[in-house]
């Protein structure tokens, strides 16, 4: 396959390849950027691989940074952008199922591509627009399947995270996982327990945001992957994954807050269990707080009061997005949207009176009672029993 025109990101980086070629070495665009170009999708990272060793790259270019020189990666800062150039390499054994014990620099493109995870990520593209496909990745793109390069068990033993990446790419591209690759995934799933939670978390989030997230969850159930994922509380079940899968066929979460709210806030469990599960995934405090606040609202969505929605009005977008994914009725969704829209205030700061004004007017004294008075005012205003005006609030306090 040959491309006469390249995407703008590759055109901008093309002089880097040409300069390496002029110095007598090989250089190619590799990996995901080539795959996405072939699929006509937006490019993100531009990865370049070369037969030149790191010291040789540094001799070719004036401005370089050793970003990962022990693994053969040097960043070239010429031409106004930073491009990482990685030397062709082979890798030794992976005793920790995560990283190679050592790498060996080589001059062979084929040797370099043989170590990659999936055929659709093992493409190379030269400066003239010629695609190099040594493992029939083009055939797999046509079949819409994820297939490991070489022996799937070897690839998954080298880096167990590749099993999550298989699910993530299947979800992102709406591809199936090739039979032998799926068999290897099922056989080696226990090795995921040796992978850092943070690495699994990233792949899992991307999987649930993919267009085929529902099918990816079904595949997880098929290979019984759940027991090897993070999660100490163990109250997430295959039945729960099937429940989510049934709702992810047409809509998928579009943010991390939506991902985790959908995944965990839909389970009826005590707050302490929910927080334990969230912590086991090593999520940010913001995500944990969001899920904790939205869980009660989702579980009583059909009976939310205006006070309920007031307390979570800063999370309205996330709540409504999750309820849509869960196929709540359009009538109920409109009702909840109207509750959010009709809130007379968004926070206590919007009240027409503050504690200092109550004290100055002789209607309150500093202390715990003042806080109770302000809370009563806030509730009455939100529920529409009290106008948010100073005189009305003063009268309300006098009556209280």
């Amino acid at each position: 396959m040959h491309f006469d025109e390249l995407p703008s990101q590759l055109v901008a980086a093309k002089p880097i390849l040409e300069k390496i070629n002029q110095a007598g070495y090989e250089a190619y665009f590799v990996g995901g950027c080539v795959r996405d170009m072939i699929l006509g999708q937006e490019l993100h990272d531009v990865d370049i691989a070369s037969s030149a060793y790191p010291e040789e790259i540094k001799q070719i270019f004036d401005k370089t940074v050793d970003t990962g020189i022990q693994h053969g990666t040097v960043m070239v800062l010429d031409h106004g952008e930073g491009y990482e150039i990685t030397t062709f390499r082979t890798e030794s054994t992976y005793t920790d199922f995560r990283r190679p014990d050592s790498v060996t620099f080589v001059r062979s493109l084929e040797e370099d591509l043989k170590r990659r995870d999936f055929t659709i990520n093992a493409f190379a593209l030269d400066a003239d627009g010629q695609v190099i496909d040594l493992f029939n990745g083009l055939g797999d793109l046509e079949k819409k399947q994820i297939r490991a390069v070489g022996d799937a068990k070897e690839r998954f033993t080298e880096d167990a995270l590749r099993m999550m990446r298989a699910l993530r790419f299947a979800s992102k591209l709406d591809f199936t996982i090739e039979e032998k690759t799926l068999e290897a995934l099922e056989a080696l799933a226990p090795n995921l327990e040796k992978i850092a939670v943070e690495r699994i978390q990233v792949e899992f989030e991307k999987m649930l945001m993919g267009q085929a997230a529902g099918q990816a969850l079904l595949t997880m159930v098929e290979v019984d992957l759940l027991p090897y994922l993070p999660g100490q509380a163990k109250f997430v079940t295959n039945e729960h994954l099937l429940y989510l899968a049934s709702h992810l066929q047409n809509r998928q979460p579009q943010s991390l807050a939506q991902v985790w709210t959908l995944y965990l806030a839909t389970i009826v469990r005590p707050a302490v269990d929910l927080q334990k599960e969230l912590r086991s995934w090593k999520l940010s405090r913001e995500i944990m707080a969001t899920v904790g606040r939205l869980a009660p609202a989702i579980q009583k969505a059909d009976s939310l009061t205006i006070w309920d929605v007031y307390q979570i009005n800063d999370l309205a977008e996330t709540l409504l997005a999750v309820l849509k994914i869960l196929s709540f009725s359009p009538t109920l969704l409109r009702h909840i949207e109207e509750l959010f829209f009709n809130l007379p205030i968004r926070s206590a700061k919007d009240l027409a009176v503050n504690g200092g004004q109550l004290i100055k007017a002789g209607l309150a004294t500093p202390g715990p009672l003042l806080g109770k008075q302000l809370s009563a005012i806030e509730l009455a205003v939100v529920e529409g029993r009290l106008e948010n005006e100073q005189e009305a609030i003063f009268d309300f306090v006098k009556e209280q």
Side-chain angles (χ1 to χ4, degrees), residues 129-365:
Q130 181 64 43
V131 174
I132 293 91
D133 176 22
L134 304 180
F135 306 101
N136 196 27
L138 291 172
D140 288 325
L141 286 181
E142 188 173 344
K143 293 178 182 177
K144 295 187 174 183
Q145 71 176 9
I146 307 297
R147 180 170 62 89
V149 173
D151 184 86
K153 287 187 176 180
E154 287 185 18
R155 297 291 83 76
F156 291 158
T157 299
E158 290 167 349
D159 184 353
L161 188 70
R162 287 170 172 168
M163 292 183 278
M164 292 301 302
R165 284 170 57 81
L167 289 163
R168 188 248 289 189
F169 283 118
S171 176
K172 175 187 176 183
L173 300 172
D174 193 10
F175 281 15
T176 59
I177 299 178
E178 179 264 342
E179 183 179 0
K180 289 185 178 179
T181 303
L182 188 63
E183 290 174 357
L185 195 161
E186 183 173 14
L188 297 173
N191 288 346
L192 276 175
E193 293 182 323
K194 301 177 174 67
I195 300 298
V197 172
E198 295 87 346
R199 297 181 74 206
I200 295 177
Q201 174 198 320
V202 170
E203 299 298 331
F204 186 69
E205 290 168 341
K206 291 179 179 179
M207 183 195 83
L208 285 184
M209 295 172 74
Q211 61 175 316
Q215 181 56 49
L217 287 176
L218 293 177
T219 302
M220 279 182 55
V221 173
E222 179 185 349
V223 299
D224 197 26
L225 198 67
L226 185 59
Y228 312 109
L229 293 184
Q232 297 175 0
K234 299 300 181 186
F235 58 75
V236 180
T237 63
N238 279 335
E239 287 72 25
H240 180 61
L241 297 188
L242 294 174
Y243 164 75
L244 293 179
S246 69
H247 292 288
L248 284 170
Q249 303 302 326
N250 300 316
R251 292 190 182 94
Q252 296 79 37
Q254 301 299 309
S255 70
L256 297 185
Q258 292 176 26
V259 165
W260 292 106
T261 300
L262 181 71
Y263 184 60
L264 292 176
T266 48
I267 301 175
V268 181
R269 296 288 296 194
V272 64
D273 284 355
L274 189 60
Q275 290 303 307
K276 184 177 181 181
E277 186 76 9
L278 290 162
R279 282 195 300 272
S280 70
W281 277 94
K282 297 189 177 180
L283 298 169
S284 69
R285 290 183 179 180
E286 182 181 1
I287 293 294
M288 291 174 63
T290 295
V291 176
R293 292 173 61 199
L294 288 181
I298 289 173
Q299 290 156 20
K300 57 178 289 189
D302 56 353
S303 59
L304 287 173
T305 66
I306 195 165
W307 179 250
D308 292 328
V309 301
Y310 168 72
Q311 294 176 296
I312 56 170
N313 73 85
D314 56 316
L315 302 175
E317 182 179 352
T318 299
L319 175 65
L320 290 167
V322 170
L323 293 180
K324 286 179 182 177
I325 292 172
L326 295 172
S327 303
F328 278 76
S329 73
T331 301
L332 178 60
L333 289 172
R334 280 195 299 272
H335 169 67
I336 296 174
E337 287 176 341
E338 288 172 1
L339 288 177
F340 280 119
F341 182 77
N342 292 324
L343 285 171
I345 59 174
R346 301 289 164 177
S347 76
K349 294 179 181 178
D350 295 335
L351 289 173
V353 169
N354 59 38
Q357 291 169 314
L358 288 178
I359 293 171
K360 187 176 181 180
L363 297 173
T365 56

Side-chain angles (χ1 to χ4, degrees), residues 27 80 361 386:
L386 175 62

Side-chain angles (χ1 to χ4, degrees), residues 21-235:
N21 294 155
Q22 290 165 6
Y25 304 100
E26 297 176 40
Y28 303 90
F29 297 115
V30 293
C33 65
V34 184
R35 177 200 67 234
D36 291 341
M37 180 195 70
I38 295 170
L39 292 174
Q41 297 183 352
E42 179 183 357
L43 273 61
H44 298 285
D45 298 329
V46 174
D47 295 320
I48 299 172
S50 173
S51 63
Y53 288 7
E55 291 302 322
E56 293 166 340
I57 291 292
K58 292 164 73 172
Q59 291 174 5
I60 296 171
F61 297 96
D62 296 329
K63 300 176 182 178
T64 64
V65 177
D66 296 349
T67 53
I69 197 163
Q70 70 274 23
H71 298 296
T73 302
V74 175
M75 178 173 285
V76 172
L77 300 176
D78 294 35
H79 303 283
E81 285 282 346
Y83 295 102
E84 287 193 336
I85 317 296
T86 301
T87 300
F88 297 159
R89 70 190 196 197
T90 60
E91 297 173 342
S92 65
T93 56
Y94 291 62
T95 54
D96 62 359
F97 301 93
R98 293 174 291 177
R99 309 179 202 86
D101 298 325
S102 63
V103 299
T104 302
F105 302 144
V106 297
R107 301 292 189 184
S108 166
L109 173 64
E110 181 176 1
E111 287 299 311
D112 184 74
L113 295 180
K114 280 167 61 176
R115 69 179 176 81
R116 297 180 183 270
D117 52 6
F118 307 112
T119 61
I120 63 168
N121 294 334
F123 295 115
L125 179 75
D126 67 20
D128 295 325
Q130 181 64 43
V131 174
I132 293 91
D133 176 22
L134 304 180
F135 306 101
N136 196 27
L138 291 172
D140 288 325
L141 286 181
E142 188 173 344
K143 293 178 182 177
K144 295 187 174 183
Q145 71 176 9
I146 307 297
R147 180 170 62 89
V149 173
D151 184 86
K153 287 187 176 180
E154 287 185 18
R155 297 291 83 76
F156 291 158
T157 299
E158 290 167 349
D159 184 353
L161 188 70
R162 287 170 172 168
M163 292 183 278
M164 292 301 302
R165 284 170 57 81
L167 289 163
R168 188 248 289 189
F169 283 118
S171 176
K172 175 187 176 183
L173 300 172
D174 193 10
F175 281 15
T176 59
I177 299 178
E178 179 264 342
E179 183 179 0
K180 289 185 178 179
T181 303
L182 188 63
E183 290 174 357
L185 195 161
E186 183 173 14
L188 297 173
N191 288 346
L192 276 175
E193 293 182 323
K194 301 177 174 67
I195 300 298
V197 172
E198 295 87 346
R199 297 181 74 206
I200 295 177
Q201 174 198 320
V202 170
E203 299 298 331
F204 186 69
E205 290 168 341
K206 291 179 179 179
M207 183 195 83
L208 285 184
M209 295 172 74
Q211 61 175 316
Q215 181 56 49
L217 287 176
L218 293 177
T219 302
M220 279 182 55
V221 173
E222 179 185 349
V223 299
D224 197 26
L225 198 67
L226 185 59
Y228 312 109
L229 293 184
Q232 297 175 0
K234 299 300 181 186
F235 58 75

